[in-house]
Amino acid sequence: MSNTLYEELVEVYEEISSTTSRLEKEDIISKFLKSIKENDPEITYDVTLLLQGKIFPPWSDKEMGVSTQLIIKALSKLLGENTKSIENKLASVGDMGEITEELVKNNKQVTFFKVPLTIKKVISNLRKTESIVGSNSQNKKLNLILELYTSASPIEAKYITRTITEKLRIGVGEGTLVEAIAKAYDIEKDIIDRAYMLSNDLGEVANRALDSVDSVKSLTIAPGKPIKPMLAQLSPGIKESIVEMGKVICETKYDGIRVQIHKKDDEIKIFTRRLENVTNALPEIVEYIREALPDEDFIVEGEVIATKDNKPISFQYILQRVKRKYDVEKMREKIPLKIFLFDVLYYKTPKAELPIGQRRELLESIVTVSSDVELSTMRIVTEENYEEAEELFNWSVENGHEGIMFKDITSPYSPGKRGKNMLKFKPVRETLDCVITGGIYGKGKRAKFFGSYLLSLLDSESGEYKTLVHAATGMDDEMLASLTERMQQHIISTSEQIVKFKPAVILEVAFSEIVESNEYETGYSLRFPAIKGVRDDIGLDQVDTIDKLQQMIELQNS
Ligand code: AMP
């Protein structure tokens, strides 16, 4: 029976937090993994998860279902502190973990009977909360976490809370863990990395590494477990990209959400590009796919788009579908969906390592196309017939799609990589000139600067400026610093991180789409805003108006 103390892991958490050096973090973790290997190898999987602040692997759809409110209730019950006062502390401190530590430390009322907590005990109690449903479920969950807090030291209590709230705050990313695992088991980093991209499960990778390099190498994709999607870089231009790549699959780029659809035995699961399981929100896609593909195990990828009269409509509608937990059937009628498939990663056996040219042929041979399930429109182009790519681009944009994709016909699927084998090409984006009326200080390295600006448009009727969007991307370090300095003189008021400015400085912001929003005074907002630069060449009276926005919306909708 595994008996490594939770205290040991907590010491590791603390040590990791005390350094900002990634290298040191890697060393601390790899040393710890080595000691687990020596003394208690059976908890390798769990430890790897806990180091990511998780108790279930990222591809799992299981959730603890323990709210901050329930943590507060547990602490209140345990320490006799009233819930209101804990809530007030939370409002001012912001980190429930720190509050837990402080409360347990200051607690003079009860001396607990301390049973030392083991890692196994912590993770197993937390995992049990997931399966509890029904009438008395909150109380049963409360008891499970109370049992942990009762035996925890203040610092252990802090990390129990942080694990429940899934905010570990120790500054460890996936990259650091991959390096640490490579070091701990003395295996090349690239081998670990590949296994991680394919399985999306560092626990499993570590478990196999414990066993042997070959075991890590033999890890391959499997239906049921999402794979990190291959990503696209920006194409500098149609002809340039084709010349660079040689022979290219050129496809319409659809503006919806990317889905990875897995079928294992009889079960179909749909994952988003962030690997969230959204199967329940998209029942018709499950039905369509079951109809369109043979009854085999497979993994296919495609883009789901929302349609009206069989024409693509704005991306924001599909978001409403994907996030939906209730009334799915009603939404299904309101916002019909269809899917364009563009890749196959598994069909009876893994196919991801085949060139896209062959994967596409396989896809064509297994999919029965209908009005609900289509294959992406594509052409095979080389330098000789690159005009066909331009034609496809024009056709795609005219038909309401986003642009085109280029895929090097010889390239395998590289999970999680933003490489040169897949490029995207979109039309020039529209821009608006907005005035800065607010700002938010950045985080971490950017804490001294305004990391994000609130931008507004001119309401020509009232002469006032109305808020439209927060824009944060597009600024390089120099602009970040110079604009922050310049904005100091325009500050009207500051409240914590948030600042209000007198309208004075105008920014040009590019975006991909105007969307409805009740967060901003204009009633709209911009999708993918990017700051292009300061417009010192125009005056405040030339800030773009809400009327112009309205015209753009009409154009967008036509
Ligand atoms: P981006 O999201 O701008 O980085 O562009 C890559 C995304 O384009 C993918 O994640 C897909 O969601 C989407 N996409 C749309 N059509 C295609 C296609 N035919 N092939 C690959 N990706 C596509």
Side-chain angles (χ1 to χ4, degrees), residues 36-308:
I36 294 292
K37 178 182 170 184
E38 298 295 313
N39 305 315
D40 199 358
E42 73 172 82
I43 58 166
T44 301
Y45 190 91
D46 291 345
V47 163
T48 316
L49 280 181
L50 288 169
L51 281 167
Q52 302 170 78
K54 297 196 161 87
I55 60 160
F56 298 112
W59 49 265
S60 154
D61 52 1
K62 290 186 175 159
E63 284 174 9
M64 268 179 272
V66 174
S67 61
T68 306
Q69 218 46 45
L70 198 68
I71 301 175
I72 293 177
K73 219 167 146 187
L75 292 170
S76 150
K77 197 161 171 184
L78 179 71
L79 308 168
E81 178 109 12
N82 87 35
T83 53
K84 199 79 216 144
S85 99
I86 305 182
E87 279 165 17
N88 289 342
K89 281 195 182 109
L90 181 60
S92 72
V93 178
D95 173 10
M96 196 58 218
E98 258 174 48
I99 295 168
T100 308
E101 180 180 7
E102 190 196 305
L103 285 173
V104 176
K105 204 186 278 170
N106 294 344
N107 165 56
K108 303 197 178 68
Q109 196 182 347
V110 210
T111 333
F112 301 126
F113 170 64
K114 298 253 190 253
V115 193
L117 280 176
T118 61
I119 291 179
K120 202 83 208 161
K121 175 73 188 167
V122 172
I123 201 160
S124 98
N125 268 36
L126 294 182
R127 275 190 188 138
K128 275 185 210 155
T129 59
E130 189 266 344
S131 53
I132 298 175
V133 283
S135 56
N136 202 19
S137 63
Q138 289 303 304
N139 262 335
K140 288 184 194 151
K141 288 187 188 200
L142 187 102
N143 285 337
L144 281 166
I145 57 176
L146 253 182
E147 192 190 350
L148 296 179
Y149 284 135
T150 311
S151 304
S153 69
I155 192 122
E156 285 174 332
K158 166 165 105 178
Y159 284 103
I160 289 169
T161 295
R162 285 186 175 177
T163 305
I164 299 174
T165 55
E166 291 186 21
K167 290 190 189 105
L168 207 50
R169 298 182 180 221
I170 58 169
V172 168
E174 297 164 353
T176 310
L177 272 167
V178 165
E179 293 276 3
I181 292 172
K183 268 187 208 166
Y185 305 102
D186 205 9
I187 294 177
E188 264 174 60
K189 187 213 144 205
D190 284 352
I191 297 176
I192 300 292
D193 206 29
R194 175 190 166 275
Y196 174 48
M197 292 301 165
L198 289 176
S199 65
N200 195 33
D201 188 341
L202 279 172
E204 172 154 8
V205 177
N207 251 350
R208 284 173 180 252
L210 193 65
D211 191 19
S212 69
V213 190
D214 287 341
S215 168
V216 181
K217 281 188 180 162
S218 70
L219 206 160
T220 173
I221 61 175
K225 280 190 179 184
I227 301 145
K228 295 232 179 215
M230 177 170 175
L231 303 170
Q233 282 188 10
L234 274 177
S235 147
I238 295 181
K239 192 168 176 196
E240 279 137 287
S241 294
I242 294 170
V243 171
E244 169 97 25
M245 283 179 161
K247 199 168 181 189
V248 180
I249 292 189
C250 177
E251 291 177 22
T252 298
K253 182 177 197 301
Y254 300 92
D255 187 18
I257 56 148
R258 180 182 192 156
V259 289
Q260 204 174 78
I261 305 177
H262 292 235
K263 177 167 173 294
K264 182 165 175 22
D265 303 327
D266 209 30
E267 192 181 8
I268 291 184
K269 286 184 187 165
I270 307 178
F271 299 97
T272 63
R273 64 186 283 168
R274 293 173 59 203
L275 312 185
E276 289 153 319
N277 185 331
V278 291
T279 316
N280 293 335
L282 307 174
E284 72 266 53
I285 300 294
V286 174
E287 290 165 20
Y288 299 159
I289 290 292
R290 212 182 277 287
E291 272 289 294
L293 277 108
D295 185 14
E296 300 285 352
D297 286 358
F298 57 75
I299 305 173
V300 289
E301 266 197 352
E303 190 90 354
V304 171
I305 66 164
T307 60
K308 191 169 183 200

Side-chain angles (χ1 to χ4, degrees), residues 426-455:
K426 295 193 241 180
V428 182
R429 307 208 300 157
E430 302 222 58
T431 64
L432 278 168
D433 298 323
C434 306
V435 67
I436 305 179
T437 53
I440 304 175
Y441 280 102
K443 289 200 179 112
K445 213 166 68 182
R446 289 186 156 201
K448 281 190 295 187
F449 305 113
F450 294 116
S452 160
Y453 287 104
L454 177 62
L455 304 179

